[in-house]
Amino acid sequence: MTKYDYLVVGAGLYGAVFAHEAAKAGKKVLVIDRRPNIAGNVYTEDIEKIHVHKYGAHIFHTNDQKVWEYVQNFAVFNRFTNSPVANFHGELYSLPFNMYTFNKMWGVVTPEEAAEKIEEQRREAGIKEPKNLEEQAISLVGTDIYEKLIKGYTEKQWGRPCTELPAFIIKRLPVRLTFDNNYFNALYQGIPVGGYTKMVANMLAGAKVQEGEDFGTGEAPVDDAGSIEVHVGVDFFDAEGAPREDLKALADKVVYTGAIDAYFGYKLGYLEYRSVRFETELLDKPNFQGNAAVNYTDRETPWTRIIEHKWFEFGKDDDGNDIPKTVISREFSSEWKPGDEPYYPVNDEKNGRLYEEYKRLAEAEDNVIFGGRLGEYKYYDMDKVIASALDMCGEVL
Ligand SMILES: Cc1cc2nc3c(=O)[nH]c(=O)nc-3n(C[C@H](O)[C@H](O)[C@H](O)COP(=O)(O)OP(=O)(O)OC[C@H]3O[C@@H](n4cnc5c(N)ncnc54)[C@H](O)[C@@H]3O)c2cc1C
């Protein structure tokens, strides 16, 4: 006998939004995740009252008013603005490239002077048809910005010299002739106060997060209509890597937000990802770098950036008290291999073709919806994944 209307595999944003809307529409929903926690990649772990972004720094930003209003139902957002700092051998520059950057680099004061300086450097380089990424970058912003702010960072990210990278990777390099170091051109931006995990828990209606498979207990009613039950530490796949029929039988329909190639036992081959490794440290000092993100743009420093998590929420705990310690994460670009945590889908032709083949198999699966960044093998920002889940809800609920 079917107990649930939906089994949602994955308690990340896609799964949580879908579960919330389904329960609001009167459905009984079971959510499982193989990790020991909810929230997927936006999971924030509390360390010394600091909400640590365990799977990479996440800044919510969107131009979609509907999504912005939607997330307000689950969290209060602070006024965090992403303004990374570049550290080149100890010289600090403001990012993205703007008047603060140009003033520090060349001592120019007016936008006209900055524009002239960039033009002068481009002219001097005399590159007409860029043959690689280095030439492309220099032809766009000149030598100084390239050498100090682009070269080392890009080489660390791609693990190759810029002269060996294709020019098309950099189509344009936005240059702002204003004193504006707000990284995102988004209408709305912020971080949920209390961390993303709390926001996702609210989407899941505050259901008790249970470890293991004691299904049928701990459901949370939603609007007196449907309900959500959450179990972590439960893998949808069995030891052989096939979808578990006993779990599927628990519900009429499955919403699957794991990797699409994994669902089919990688039978057509592995989809590739770009990966990143984090080294996180708790420091016995209140302030390490004075900013949430500092990019290390020289080639010699092995990490690409350091995140100091407390500054996403301005260094205070939930009661407004200053926090005497700090947590930092160094990020290292790394090659992905099967079995590693998948981070960024590689949207090149080869992987695109393979995904299309998996998608055809997915379309032939009865009663399974494939969604989210892994299910659709697509780089989604948070707002886009929420919008996509809401669209799906509109279609099927
Ligand atoms: C390093 C990094 C930084 C980012 N920064 C930003 C940012 O600043 N701003 C922004 O808007 N977006 C950012 N994003 C994108 C953001 O993380 C995604 O939009 C969002 O997390 C996608 O949610 P999801 O539910 O699709 O996937 P996920 O969060 O990955 O959720 C999928 C869940 O499914 C579970 N699962 C998988 N397989 C199984 C299985 N077999 N059984 C049970 N459970 C399973 C996983 O454990 C996971 O919890 C960033 C992404 C990365 C990688």
Side-chain angles (χ1 to χ4, degrees):
M1 197 181 71
T2 299
K3 272 187 67 190
Y4 302 92
D5 296 299
Y6 282 99
L7 165 66
V8 175
V9 180
L13 277 178
Y14 191 99
V17 167
F18 190 95
H20 185 87
E21 292 305 306
K24 239 171 62 184
K27 308 292 182 197
K28 218 167 141 63
V29 185
L30 172 64
V31 180
I32 60 165
D33 202 298
R34 67 173 166 205
R35 288 182 183 167
N37 53 267
I38 59 166
N41 269 14
V42 306
Y43 174 63
T44 42
E45 178 182 29
D46 287 2
I47 301 178
E48 299 281 337
K49 298 192 166 184
I50 299 164
H51 307 296
V52 174
H53 298 210
K54 183 150 181 205
Y55 298 97
H58 279 75
I59 297 124
F60 197 94
H61 58 98
T62 188
N63 285 314
D64 187 333
Q65 192 179 351
K66 194 174 127 207
V67 168
W68 182 244
E69 282 168 8
Y70 185 76
V71 292
Q72 308 301 314
N73 292 316
F74 309 104
V76 172
F77 279 73
N78 69 17
R79 52 153 195 85
F80 180 83
T81 301
N82 191 25
S83 308
V85 169
N87 181 327
F88 177 77
H89 292 305
E91 285 173 34
L92 300 184
Y93 293 95
S94 174
L95 293 176
F97 313 139
N98 70 86
M99 284 302 294
Y100 291 113
T101 328
F102 308 139
N103 174 263
K104 175 82 186 268
M105 184 95 54
W106 301 309
V108 293
V109 172
T110 65
E112 264 178 357
E113 287 169 7
E116 261 171 42
K117 190 77 191 168
I118 293 171
E119 194 43 46
E120 176 192 311
Q121 294 224 333
R122 295 175 44 183
R123 253 197 328 269
E124 272 171 20
I127 298 165
K128 292 274 164 348
E129 279 175 35
K131 287 189 289 298
N132 53 45
L133 189 145
E134 174 168 295
E135 294 187 359
Q136 171 76 346
I138 293 173
S139 75
L140 290 169
V141 288
T143 322
D144 288 345
I145 296 177
Y146 168 70
E147 292 287 345
K148 291 190 168 182
L149 302 179
I150 298 170
K151 185 174 190 289
Y153 192 81
T154 311
E155 293 189 345
K156 285 187 281 191
Q157 267 200 323
W158 291 88
R160 277 198 280 159
C162 286
T163 47
E164 290 177 18
L165 288 166
F168 74 79
I169 294 179
I170 294 185
K171 291 202 179 70
R172 34 179 229 115
L173 284 166
V175 164
R176 285 187 192 158
L177 297 176
T178 51
F179 290 92
D180 177 9
N181 52 16
N182 176 0
Y183 191 82
F184 293 117
N185 274 321
L187 209 47
Y188 310 105
Q189 181 171 188
I191 302 284
V193 176
Y196 286 96
T197 307
K198 188 169 149 191
M199 178 178 89
V200 174
N202 288 339
M203 289 174 170
L204 296 170
K208 189 167 160 223
V209 177
Q210 307 193 80
E211 179 74 34
E213 301 191 11
D214 194 8
F215 301 130
T217 55
E219 67 184 54
V222 174
D223 290 353
D224 294 329
S227 63
I228 301 179
E229 194 182 318
V230 182
H231 291 259
V232 295
V234 180
D235 199 325
F236 183 57
F237 298 119
D238 60 24
E240 274 74 51
R244 276 178 54 183
E245 291 305 322
D246 59 330
L247 286 179
K248 279 173 93 175
L250 285 173
D252 289 335
K253 290 200 172 82
V254 174
V255 175
Y256 175 78
T257 73
I260 188 167
D261 53 354
Y263 185 96
F264 296 103
Y266 307 100
K267 65 180 174 193
L268 305 174
Y270 286 94
L271 290 164
E272 293 171 319
Y273 291 85
R274 269 179 41 226
S275 208
V276 45
R277 181 170 61 80
F278 305 101
E279 278 180 13
T280 297
E281 232 183 302
L282 171 66
L283 302 178
D284 205 9
K285 55 169 83 168
N287 190 354
F288 173 73
Q289 63 185 18
N291 201 38
V294 175
N295 293 4
Y296 283 76
T297 57
D298 62 89
R299 185 70 188 85
E300 289 69 32
T301 307
W303 48 86
T304 48
R305 59 177 190 170
I306 298 183
I307 298 298
E308 188 169 8
H309 300 267
K310 70 194 301 190
W311 303 125
F312 287 122
E313 293 181 70
F314 312 121
K316 305 243 196 269
D317 69 19
D318 292 347
D319 297 322
N321 303 309
D322 289 332
I323 303 173
K325 299 197 179 195
T326 195
V327 178
I328 61 165
S329 298
R330 291 187 172 81
E331 293 186 13
F332 302 81
S333 261
S334 66
E335 288 291 319
W336 177 87
K337 54 183 182 333
D340 287 355
E341 194 66 52
Y343 280 102
Y344 303 100
V346 180
N347 290 119
D348 61 8
E349 224 175 278
K350 178 179 131 209
N351 286 287
R353 265 200 312 273
L354 184 55
Y355 169 66
E356 286 305 320
E357 288 180 47
Y358 276 121
K359 194 171 157 212
R360 273 195 287 281
L361 294 181
E363 280 160 3
E365 275 294 285
D366 277 340
N367 296 323
V368 183
I369 294 167
F370 290 77
R373 66 179 194 103
L374 300 169
E376 295 171 69
Y377 190 64
K378 186 169 178 179
Y379 182 82
Y380 271 130
D381 272 330
M382 290 180 274
D383 61 328
K384 298 288 188 308
V385 93
I386 290 170
S388 157
L390 288 174
D391 284 349
M392 181 55 76
C393 293
E395 254 178 64
V396 301
L397 293 176

